[in-house]
Amino acid sequence: MAALLEVKDLRTHFTTRDGVVKAVDSVSYDIQEGETLGLVGESGCGKSVSALSILRLIADPPGRIVSGSVEFEGRDLLQLSGAEMRQVRGNRIAMVFQEPMSSLNPVLTIGRQLTEGLELHLKMSKGDARSRAAELLQMVGIPDAAQQLNSYPHTFSGGMRQRVMIAMAMSCNPKLLIADEPTTALDVTIQAQILELLQKLSAEMGTAILIITHNLGVIARYASRVNVMYAGKIVEGGTTREMYANPQHPYTKGLLKSVPRLTQSRTEKLTTIEGSPPDLMNLPSGCAFQPRCAYAVAQCSVDAPPLTDRGNGHVAACFVPG
């Protein structure tokens, strides 16, 4: 069965005064219809840039999609015209952006921001769009939905704004929802509510979800497959169960070991990954993780390891088996 989304050899670079930042450097992955895929890694590894590249929302200049393809429903999104791409954004592919406190337009009512996409993509009348907007707010758990359509974003809490963002994203029944750090700046209780809501809507509407996060607990609970990014590349990928049970890349092992556990003693220190993420303008030769890796061998400082099959649909980019 053909994948809903297939990203092949995607490269997105930013040109600065100091040099070229290779934010996304030859990234490939796919998403099947209705599945939830996780994309994890440290801040600055290229997760969000790869998602924005799918929707062609990279500001040019300084950013530019250098090469690759993004096949969605049989069409390469990178080859579409601007008008054709606008029909895809918000309609077939929707996105929940990273910061709920600043993602909504402060001078437009919640109702207007919800009805705009319905009128544009689904050609609804203003009355029908307003009725549908009230249904969407009720669907995401906002009380007094019809009355709240006249409210402005500043009257809503962070959790309520994120619910509005999800309602906007799901308004046109998209086939793919990209959730970029959907629980940023929200307290733990609200985080759980938002993630459960996303899972519920995905099950009801058959929408595939790409969850971008650095929270491994979120991935363990909600994603069926996961890709791990480091320095603009995917260094490991596979089913969530297989990856957590048998990590094959030292970076993935470091991320898993750094997660606090209830069984740990209060006096026990958390495990950390030594060193700092690399400068994407001046990457080390060979494997980008090599300067921080406790398992590095001589070859690691010379050659960049390719993704190789480790069995059970599990791939990893490492010269040291296991």
Side-chain angles (χ1 to χ4, degrees):
M1 184 177 66
L4 174 67
L5 176 79
E6 191 167 2
V7 178
K8 297 179 182 177
D9 196 30
L10 181 65
R11 300 171 191 263
T12 303
H13 297 173
F14 292 84
T15 303
T16 71
R17 292 180 179 178
D18 299 321
V20 176
V21 178
K22 297 180 179 179
V24 178
D25 192 16
S26 190
V27 163
S28 301
Y29 60 87
D30 63 76
I31 302 176
Q32 302 296 321
E33 287 198 25
E35 85 160 331
T36 299
L37 175 72
L39 189 60
V40 301
E42 291 171 306
S43 296
C45 71
K47 305 186 302 296
S48 296
V49 174
S50 68
L52 293 171
S53 298
I54 291 172
L55 288 171
R56 286 171 51 186
L57 292 176
I58 300 297
D60 183 6
R64 188 166 66 91
I65 300 173
V66 176
S67 65
S69 64
V70 179
E71 298 279 346
F72 177 73
E73 295 185 323
R75 295 192 298 172
D76 185 357
L77 300 184
L78 303 186
Q79 302 302 318
L80 300 185
S81 67
E84 290 172 324
M85 197 63 211
R86 284 191 291 273
Q87 290 301 313
V88 173
R89 296 190 197 106
N91 186 16
R92 306 302 294 163
I93 304 177
M95 187 165 183
V96 177
F97 292 94
Q98 189 169 141
E99 180 50 73
M101 302 303 286
S102 60
S103 295
L104 294 168
N105 191 325
V107 300
L108 296 179
T109 64
I110 297 299
R112 181 58 194 136
Q113 295 186 61
L114 278 166
T115 57
E116 183 178 19
L118 295 169
E119 293 172 16
L120 176 66
H121 293 302
L122 302 185
K123 310 302 180 185
M124 286 187 175
S125 67
K126 289 187 177 181
D128 289 343
R130 191 168 178 85
S131 297
R132 175 58 177 161
E135 291 176 7
L136 288 164
L137 289 186
Q138 188 172 11
M139 181 179 69
V140 296
I142 292 181
D144 301 320
Q147 288 72 31
Q148 296 287 13
L149 292 176
N150 298 317
S151 301
Y152 287 86
H154 72 270
T155 65
F156 282 20
S157 67
M160 288 181 70
R161 292 189 209 188
Q162 194 67 302
R163 288 173 184 269
V164 172
M165 289 295 298
I166 293 172
M168 290 174 62
M170 302 300 289
S171 60
C172 296
N173 298 328
K175 293 297 292 181
L176 173 64
L177 175 66
I178 301 173
D180 187 4
E181 300 278 8
T183 57
T184 297
L186 304 178
D187 64 59
V188 176
T189 304
I190 302 301
Q191 286 182 21
Q193 293 175 5
I194 294 297
L195 291 165
E196 292 292 341
L197 175 62
L198 283 173
Q199 189 179 50
K200 174 176 175 286
L201 294 176
S202 172
E204 290 177 354
M205 298 181 176
T207 302
I209 299 180
L210 173 61
I211 295 184
I212 300 170
T213 183
H214 56 261
N215 189 327
L216 292 169
V218 168
I219 296 300
R221 180 172 176 83
Y222 297 102
S224 56
R225 289 192 299 134
V226 58
N227 287 321
V228 179
M229 280 192 75
Y230 186 80
K233 295 178 179 290
I234 290 177
V235 296
E236 188 164 4
T239 65
T240 305
R241 183 181 294 275
E242 169 68 20
M243 182 97 63
Y244 279 56
N246 186 29
Q248 294 289 302
H249 195 281
Y251 179 59
T252 308
K253 291 185 177 183
L255 290 178
L256 291 171
K257 287 181 179 179
S258 66
V259 176
R261 290 172 172 77
L262 292 175
T263 55
Q264 280 182 306
S265 166
R266 291 188 178 184
T267 59
E268 186 179 348
K269 291 184 177 180
L270 289 175
T271 302
T272 60
I273 300 175
E274 298 298 326
S276 301
D279 180 356
L280 295 181
M281 285 189 294
N282 187 27
L283 290 170
S285 59
C287 176
F289 188 64
Q290 175 264 329
R292 307 173 69 186
C293 182
Y295 304 94
V297 295
Q299 188 180 9
C300 299
S301 60
V302 178
D303 302 317
L307 281 171
T308 55
D309 186 9
R310 304 300 172 97
N312 298 321
H314 194 163
V315 295
C318 185
F319 290 125
V320 183

